[in-house]
Amino acid sequence: MPRYQQIARQLKQAISDGELAAGSRLPSSRTMALELGVARATVENAYGELVAQGWLDRRGQAGTFISPSATTGANNPASVASHPQGAPRPFQMGLPALDAFPRALWARIMGRRLRLQTRYDLVMPEAQGESTLRQAIAEYLRFSRSIDCQPEQIFITPGFQAAMRLVTHTLAKPGDGIWLEDPGYRYVRPVFDDAKMALHPVPVDDEGMQIEYGIRHFPNARFALLTPAHQSPLGVALSLPRRRQLLDWAVSNQSWLIEDDYDSEFRYHGKPLPPIKSLDGPQRVIYAGTFSKSLFPALRVAWLVVPQQQVEAFSRHTHLLPCTAPLLIQQTIADFLREGHFWRHLKKMRLCYSQRRVWLEQALQQQGFDVVPQAGGIQLVMRVRGDDRGLVAKARAAGLAVQALSDWRMVSQGEGGILMSFTNLTSQGMAQQVAKQLREAIT
């Protein structure tokens, strides 16, 4: 175990045993490093991990303190129920590795931006999003995803659901049909329900969405939403022949494709297939991305890349649905991208997630579970027999934040599964512990 994780574990044990009282101040990282005979960065990493998990609170120049919620349930420190308030629950999905985010670097960049702001930065921000961020995203997509777009084609939104609302307000009419992956990302369906659209579930197999099924059953749909790089939640990639078939259907039917590229950066083996948007000569693809998985979800910043001929229409609707992400946040993200920190962070996280996935896979297999292999992503699927909803209910009652695959289905039938994330499993021992807890909970 790395030295900083050893220090973090010792501090957690001291807090759980009551040796360190809630609200008490810890020594500075410099002082602690001298006492332990380690580098200051090692102590900073230990403190940072405990802050991310909710055990410690940073209070600026006042120092680092024991969180008041960290001692809850201290008599049973191994229990999931004693998890610090606000910390990720074991297996919680939708979160990146909070302990691995470079918070100190982020704070320096944000502080610099704050110091450089002028009085003109206090006016109403651009409804389409900060221009420097749109320029930085355009440059990133051009070199990383082979998507040739201009800053004016990019629209910043406060989250993925807000991006979908902008699409429906601009292009959709009540009664328009939309293909949705089945199983697929369930939290976006209410957006299309609110727009009074007809939801058309299209099954998913080992090659992604079954395009022929959609054409045969719902040929006149006006939209298709899919996750071709890493299907959510099954993790498969849409094959290249199906991508071409999908584009041909969109062109012939004058339909819109919404490509959700939510975690394509986290692929562990081989090169990912090119995004559909990079093949979009006819300009029928709306490309959506977010910083929630690559940086952290509290940012609430997503973006759309729209076809050039639709820029004016989307611009009109941004006055009704403007970007509400704080200007300081947008400027900080732009600097993080332009200075190369984003590239370095993604490279580090690919290695981190690859290792943590192996930890969880091995731990689950040791408990007799069957894990579905995937080439990347920040979550996995574990096959189960019988009622996966019932098993998940037992696991959630034990404090484990797993989800049932059946809850992500609309009408399709298939084998049961349990969905879980591994991003915040910070050690092999932690993975073994929560896998054992899962086995005990569902048996």
Coordinates of all heavy atoms in Angstrom, one line a residue, residues 3-4 7 25 27-48 58 60-61 63-64 104 108:
R3 N 2.5 4.9 0.8 CA 2.7 5.4 2.2 C 1.5 6.4 2.5 O 1.1 6.4 3.7 CB 4.0 6.2 2.2 CG 4.4 6.7 3.6 CD 4.7 5.5 4.5 NE 5.2 6.0 5.9 CZ 4.4 6.0 6.9 NH1 3.1 5.6 6.8 NH2 4.8 6.4 8.1
Y4 N 1.0 7.2 1.6 CA 0.0 8.1 1.9 C -1.3 7.4 2.3 O -2.1 7.9 3.2 CB -0.3 9.1 0.8 CG -1.2 8.6 -0.4 CD1 -2.5 8.8 -0.4 CD2 -0.6 7.9 -1.4 CE1 -3.3 8.3 -1.4 CE2 -1.4 7.4 -2.5 CZ -2.8 7.6 -2.4 OH -3.6 7.2 -3.4
I7 N -0.9 6.3 5.9 CA -1.2 7.4 6.8 C -2.7 7.7 6.9 O -3.2 7.9 8.0 CB -0.4 8.6 6.4 CG1 1.1 8.4 6.4 CG2 -0.8 9.8 7.2 CD1 1.9 9.5 5.8
R25 N -8.3 20.1 15.4 CA -7.4 20.5 14.3 C -6.2 19.6 14.2 O -5.6 19.2 15.2 CB -6.9 21.9 14.5 CG -6.1 22.5 13.4 CD -5.7 24.0 13.8 NE -4.9 24.6 12.7 CZ -3.6 24.4 12.5 NH1 -2.9 23.7 13.3 NH2 -3.0 25.1 11.5
P27 N -2.3 18.7 12.7 CA -1.1 19.4 12.4 C -1.1 19.8 11.0 O -1.7 19.1 10.1 CB 0.0 18.5 12.8 CG -0.6 17.5 13.7 CD -2.0 17.3 13.3
S28 N -0.3 20.8 10.6 CA -0.1 21.2 9.2 C 0.6 20.0 8.5 O 1.2 19.2 9.1 CB 0.7 22.5 9.1 OG 2.0 22.2 9.5
S29 N 0.4 20.0 7.2 CA 1.1 18.9 6.4 C 2.6 19.0 6.6 O 3.3 18.0 6.6 CB 0.7 19.0 5.0 OG 1.1 20.3 4.4
R30 N 3.2 20.2 6.7 CA 4.6 20.3 6.9 C 5.0 19.7 8.3 O 6.0 19.0 8.4 CB 5.0 21.8 6.8 CG 6.5 22.0 6.9 CD 6.8 23.5 6.9 NE 6.2 24.2 5.8 CZ 6.8 24.3 4.6 NH1 8.0 23.7 4.4 NH2 6.2 25.0 3.6
T31 N 4.3 20.0 9.3 CA 4.6 19.5 10.6 C 4.5 18.0 10.7 O 5.3 17.3 11.2 CB 3.7 20.2 11.7 OG1 3.9 21.6 11.7 CG2 4.0 19.7 13.1
M32 N 3.3 17.5 10.1 CA 3.1 16.1 10.1 C 4.2 15.3 9.3 O 4.6 14.3 9.7 CB 1.7 15.8 9.5 CG 1.4 14.3 9.5 SD 1.0 13.6 11.1 CE -0.7 14.1 11.2
A33 N 4.6 15.9 8.2 CA 5.7 15.3 7.4 C 7.0 15.2 8.2 O 7.7 14.2 8.1 CB 5.9 16.1 6.1
L34 N 7.3 16.2 9.0 CA 8.5 16.2 9.8 C 8.4 15.1 10.9 O 9.4 14.4 11.2 CB 8.8 17.6 10.4 CG 9.2 18.7 9.4 CD1 9.3 20.0 10.2 CD2 10.6 18.3 8.8
E35 N 7.2 15.0 11.5 CA 7.0 14.0 12.6 C 7.1 12.6 12.0 O 7.7 11.7 12.7 CB 5.7 14.3 13.2 CG 5.6 15.5 14.0 CD 4.3 15.7 14.7 OE1 3.4 14.9 14.4 OE2 4.1 16.7 15.4
L36 N 6.6 12.4 10.8 CA 6.6 11.0 10.3 C 7.8 10.7 9.4 O 8.0 9.5 9.0 CB 5.3 10.8 9.4 CG 4.0 11.0 10.1 CD1 2.8 10.8 9.2 CD2 3.9 10.0 11.3
G37 N 8.6 11.7 9.1 CA 9.8 11.5 8.3 C 9.4 11.1 6.8 O 10.1 10.3 6.2
V38 N 8.4 11.8 6.3 CA 8.0 11.6 4.9 C 8.0 12.9 4.2 O 8.1 14.0 4.8 CB 6.6 10.9 4.8 CG1 6.7 9.5 5.5 CG2 5.6 11.8 5.4
A39 N 7.8 12.9 2.9 CA 7.7 14.1 2.1 C 6.3 14.8 2.4 O 5.3 14.2 2.7 CB 7.8 13.8 0.6
R40 N 6.3 16.1 2.3 CA 5.1 16.9 2.6 C 4.0 16.5 1.6 O 2.8 16.4 2.0 CB 5.4 18.4 2.5 CG 4.2 19.2 2.8 CD 4.5 20.7 2.7 NE 3.4 21.6 3.0 CZ 3.4 22.9 2.8 NH1 4.5 23.5 2.3 NH2 2.3 23.6 3.1
A41 N 4.3 16.2 0.4 CA 3.3 15.8 -0.6 C 2.6 14.5 -0.2 O 1.4 14.3 -0.5 CB 4.0 15.6 -2.0
T42 N 3.4 13.6 0.5 CA 2.7 12.4 1.0 C 1.6 12.6 2.0 O 0.5 12.1 1.9 CB 3.8 11.5 1.6 OG1 4.8 11.2 0.6 CG2 3.2 10.1 2.1
V43 N 1.9 13.6 2.9 CA 0.9 13.9 3.9 C -0.3 14.7 3.2 O -1.5 14.5 3.5 CB 1.5 14.8 5.0 CG1 0.4 15.3 6.0 CG2 2.6 14.0 5.7
E44 N 0.0 15.5 2.2 CA -1.0 16.3 1.5 C -1.9 15.3 0.8 O -3.2 15.4 0.8 CB -0.4 17.2 0.5 CG 0.1 18.5 1.1 CD -1.0 19.4 1.5 OE1 -2.2 19.2 1.1 OE2 -0.8 20.3 2.3
N45 N -1.4 14.2 0.2 CA -2.2 13.2 -0.5 C -3.1 12.5 0.5 O -4.2 12.2 0.2 CB -1.3 12.2 -1.2 CG -0.7 12.8 -2.5 OD1 -1.2 13.8 -3.0 ND2 0.4 12.3 -2.9
A46 N -2.5 12.2 1.7 CA -3.3 11.5 2.7 C -4.5 12.4 3.2 O -5.6 11.9 3.3 CB -2.4 11.1 3.9
Y47 N -4.2 13.6 3.5 CA -5.2 14.6 3.9 C -6.2 14.7 2.8 O -7.4 14.8 3.0 CB -4.6 15.9 4.2 CG -3.9 16.0 5.6 CD1 -3.8 14.9 6.4 CD2 -3.4 17.3 6.0 CE1 -3.2 15.0 7.6 CE2 -2.8 17.4 7.3 CZ -2.7 16.3 8.1 OH -2.1 16.4 9.3
G48 N -5.8 14.8 1.5 CA -6.7 15.0 0.4 C -7.7 13.9 0.3 O -8.8 14.0 0.0
R58 N -11.2 20.9 5.2 CA -10.2 22.0 5.0 C -10.9 23.3 5.2 O -12.0 23.6 4.6 CB -9.6 21.9 3.7 CG -8.6 20.7 3.5 CD -7.8 21.0 2.3 NE -7.0 19.8 1.9 CZ -5.8 19.5 2.4 NH1 -5.3 20.3 3.3 NH2 -5.1 18.5 2.0
G60 N -9.4 26.5 4.8 CA -8.5 27.6 4.3 C -7.2 27.7 5.2 O -6.6 26.7 5.6
Q61 N -6.9 28.9 5.6 CA -5.7 29.2 6.4 C -5.9 28.7 7.8 O -4.9 28.6 8.5 CB -5.4 30.7 6.3 CG -5.0 31.2 5.0 CD -4.6 32.7 5.0 OE1 -4.8 33.3 6.0 NE2 -4.1 33.2 3.9
G63 N -6.7 25.8 8.7 CA -6.1 24.5 8.8 C -7.0 23.4 8.4 O -8.1 23.6 7.8
T64 N -6.7 22.1 8.8 CA -7.4 20.9 8.5 C -8.0 20.4 9.8 O -7.3 20.2 10.8 CB -6.6 19.9 7.8 OG1 -6.0 20.5 6.6 CG2 -7.4 18.7 7.4
A104 N -5.3 20.8 -5.4 CA -4.4 21.9 -5.2 C -4.2 22.7 -6.5 O -4.2 23.9 -6.5 CB -3.1 21.4 -4.5
R108 N -5.3 26.6 -7.4 CA -4.3 27.6 -7.9 C -4.8 28.3 -9.2 O -4.8 29.5 -9.4 CB -2.9 27.0 -8.2 CG -2.2 26.7 -6.9 CD -0.7 26.6 -7.2 NE -0.4 25.5 -8.1 CZ -0.2 24.2 -7.7 NH1 -0.3 23.9 -6.4 NH2 0.1 23.3 -8.6

